[in-house]
Amino acid sequence: MPTYAEVVEALKEEVDNDAATSSRDLLLYVHIPFCSSKCTFCHWVAEIPVAQLRSGATVRAAYVEAVCEQIRAYGPVLDQLGYVPRLLYWGGGTPSILDPDEITRVADATATHCNLEHVTEMSVEASPETLTSAKLRAFRDAGFQRLSIGVQSFDDRELRTAGRAHDAAQGESAFRLAREEGFANINLDFIAGFPGQTAEMLGGSIEKCCELEPDHVTLYVYNDYGPTVMAKQMKSGKRPSPTRADRGLLFQQGKALLLDAGYVEYMPLYFARADSFKFVGEEYYFSLQGDHFGFGSGAHSSLAHHLFVDYRGNLKTYVEHPADLDFGLRYGPDSQTLKLILKRFSGLDWIDYDLFQDRFGFAFTEVREDEVIRNWEQWMFRRGAELVETSRGIAVVWPDGSPSQMSIRGATAGSR
């Protein structure tokens, strides 16, 4: 476990040696690891005990204090290293499960100890059953302009199957309440390809979505991740098991409805009514535009050619030692590190060699023939992609309209 002093020393040494990334742009992430229920499809909560996930006010209060302590510890260090936060994102879990005063405490700590002068997008995730006028006002007062609501479906049968704590009526009410409270940039999440989902069920959800006219829509493709309850039920035969092609076809049907309603798919799975509503944070992360630093249990950071992780579910240790991290390494051209890096760039339509070296500290050519990269290529080929390599990088080209294009990132958790 890297201690706070060890983390700071490693980062300063990298920067002092001019070995850190050339870009000092930074995405700040705050993780809230609590939910109202344990969703049956969600990868993030699969291995977390229900009691911890649904922790009460006392545990949440201790966690909020720990997050504030971590922010106080690392905010000034990031500033000293020359990092300039450009984006701020609260995810989970469910950030909107916090009380208004807890929202304000974390927001005030961030504003006090991190330089937010150049932040252009502040985005927060929410679940419908947790939203109130007071919470929405607390988020607005803290500077959040973008709200992402995890509706997932407007079909009550699907919501019960998914283990969601809200119903369709609450999903609609949450959206309307957010509009009333002044949010002019709202994303709604949906999932295509749930076990048992029909074209009519998905179509009804997307049509209802279009009636509400959110500014941004995320349409994920269901991912049957092994440890989740839903995936286990599919494997045992208790639930229907749609093929990847079936899920892709449902996605295409949902996509067609969104396009007909005037939305533009600017990235796979992501739809916006106008350029001003694009989710900048997601593009930043997957296009390797800069580093990111995560606060909270379950968060990870990629900073100055280093990866740091606070493991999900390790809540007690985090609360006791919020400035120490559970895991850390310097990126290098080995298979173990490559597997970690792959999670960052496998959603790209382009691997830029210069950006790769800038982000991770070594040349892509050093790992070009590694088994991990070869497996990634085969993974892409199986989904219908063509890889076009030039001296600048590798372009991932998808056939127009192919369902496999939408399998780059599957739905596993939360809002985006």
Side-chain angles (χ1 to χ4, degrees):
M1 172 185 286
T3 66
Y4 171 69
E6 291 169 340
V7 172
V8 173
E9 182 180 358
L11 295 177
K12 286 185 175 180
E13 181 179 356
E14 194 82 358
V15 172
D16 289 344
N17 292 336
D18 292 326
T21 54
S22 61
S23 170
R24 289 293 191 273
D25 288 347
L26 192 66
L27 182 154
L28 293 178
Y29 176 75
V30 176
H31 190 76
I32 307 300
F34 308 114
C35 294
S36 301
S37 64
K38 185 168 182 174
C39 296
T40 61
F41 68 92
C42 181
H43 158 255
W44 191 87
V45 304
E47 296 163 348
I48 298 178
V50 173
Q52 179 174 314
L53 191 67
R54 300 185 61 189
S55 295
T58 301
V59 174
R60 287 205 312 273
Y63 180 79
V64 165
E65 174 54 36
V67 170
C68 290
E69 182 178 337
Q70 188 183 23
I71 292 170
R72 290 192 291 267
Y74 283 102
V77 173
L78 297 172
D79 190 52
Q80 292 167 13
L81 294 176
Y83 279 96
V84 180
R86 304 286 183 179
L87 305 161
L88 176 63
Y89 187 81
W90 285 22
T94 310
S96 56
I97 207 168
L98 298 179
D99 291 336
D101 62 323
E102 293 172 333
I103 294 169
T104 301
R105 284 192 63 201
V106 176
D108 285 351
T110 309
T112 300
H113 299 284
C114 301
N115 178 12
L116 304 185
E117 180 182 356
H118 301 285
V119 170
T120 58
E121 179 185 87
M122 293 177 61
S123 184
V124 60
E125 295 179 1
S127 190
E129 79 283 354
T130 64
L131 284 175
T132 65
S133 291
K135 292 182 182 183
L136 288 164
R137 289 170 193 161
F139 284 129
R140 290 280 292 149
D141 290 345
F144 288 94
Q145 319 103 324
R146 184 179 183 274
L147 180 72
S148 184
I149 306 177
V151 173
Q152 314 306 355
S153 173
F154 278 120
D155 187 297
D156 283 334
R157 294 165 296 177
E158 284 194 311
L159 292 171
R160 287 194 297 271
T161 299
R164 299 295 289 176
H166 72 276
D167 59 22
Q170 286 176 302
E172 179 177 353
S173 296
F175 175 84
R176 295 190 185 281
L177 182 63
R179 277 285 194 246
E180 291 172 7
E181 293 297 338
F183 277 91
N185 187 353
I186 303 176
N187 168 70
L188 295 184
D189 275 359
F190 295 91
I191 298 178
F194 265 138
Q197 186 182 69
T198 65
E200 291 73 23
M201 293 166 73
L202 177 62
S205 290
I206 300 302
E207 287 171 3
K208 181 63 179 179
C209 166
C210 293
E211 288 177 15
L212 294 173
E213 297 184 332
D215 312 289
H216 189 283
V217 179
T218 309
L219 181 59
Y220 292 110
V221 181
Y222 171 66
N223 185 350
D224 52 341
Y225 183 76
T228 63
V229 171
M230 187 173 281
K232 290 178 181 177
Q233 291 173 338
M234 290 168 58
K235 187 175 182 180
S236 68
K238 292 181 180 179
R239 292 200 184 279
S241 184
T243 65
R244 190 175 294 274
D246 292 335
R247 285 174 259 169
L249 287 172
L250 282 167
F251 172 85
Q252 292 297 331
Q253 292 167 0
K255 171 182 174 178
L257 291 172
L258 290 169
L259 297 180
D260 287 345
Y263 290 89
V264 174
E265 187 185 26
Y266 65 96
M267 282 198 307
L269 318 179
Y270 291 78
F271 300 81
R273 285 201 294 138
D275 286 348
S276 58
F277 297 124
K278 291 179 179 179
F279 182 17
V280 179
E282 191 80 342
E283 287 188 296
Y284 173 97
Y285 180 85
F286 282 105
S287 61
L288 308 180
Q289 292 178 27
D291 285 345
H292 64 276
F293 193 90
F295 300 106
S297 175
H300 67 275
S301 306
S302 184
L303 196 72
H305 298 155
H306 284 72
L307 172 70
F308 298 106
V309 179
D310 273 311
Y311 291 125
R312 66 185 69 175
N314 201 7
L315 188 63
K316 184 176 183 295
T317 301
Y318 175 79
V319 169
E320 293 174 349
H321 306 283
D324 297 337
L325 305 176
D326 291 326
F327 174 80
L329 60 75
R330 191 189 190 284
Y331 291 122
D334 58 90
S335 294
Q336 177 190 2
T337 310
L338 269 181
K339 290 177 182 178
L340 298 171
I341 291 174
L342 196 64
K343 296 178 181 179
R344 178 88 185 266
F345 75 79
S346 62
L348 288 172
D349 286 339
W350 174 263
I351 298 173
D352 183 293
Y353 292 156
D354 289 340
L355 274 179
F356 184 94
Q357 179 154 3
D358 198 40
R359 291 286 80 75
F360 304 118
F362 60 91
F364 188 79
T365 53
E366 294 184 56
V367 296
R368 184 66 184 84
E369 302 303 320
D370 191 282
E371 183 181 3
V372 172
I373 298 301
R374 290 302 185 189
N375 289 341
W376 170 75
E377 289 179 325
Q378 292 302 315
W379 184 76
M380 287 293 188
F381 290 146
R382 287 196 300 270
R383 283 152 181 78
E386 178 186 0
L387 302 182
V388 180
E389 188 165 8
T390 69
S391 60
R392 292 181 53 212
I394 301 175
V396 181
V397 181
W398 300 94
D400 185 40
S402 167
S404 59
Q405 177 182 1
M406 300 311 145
S407 299
I408 297 176
R409 293 191 291 277
T412 56
S415 308
R416 291 291 183 269

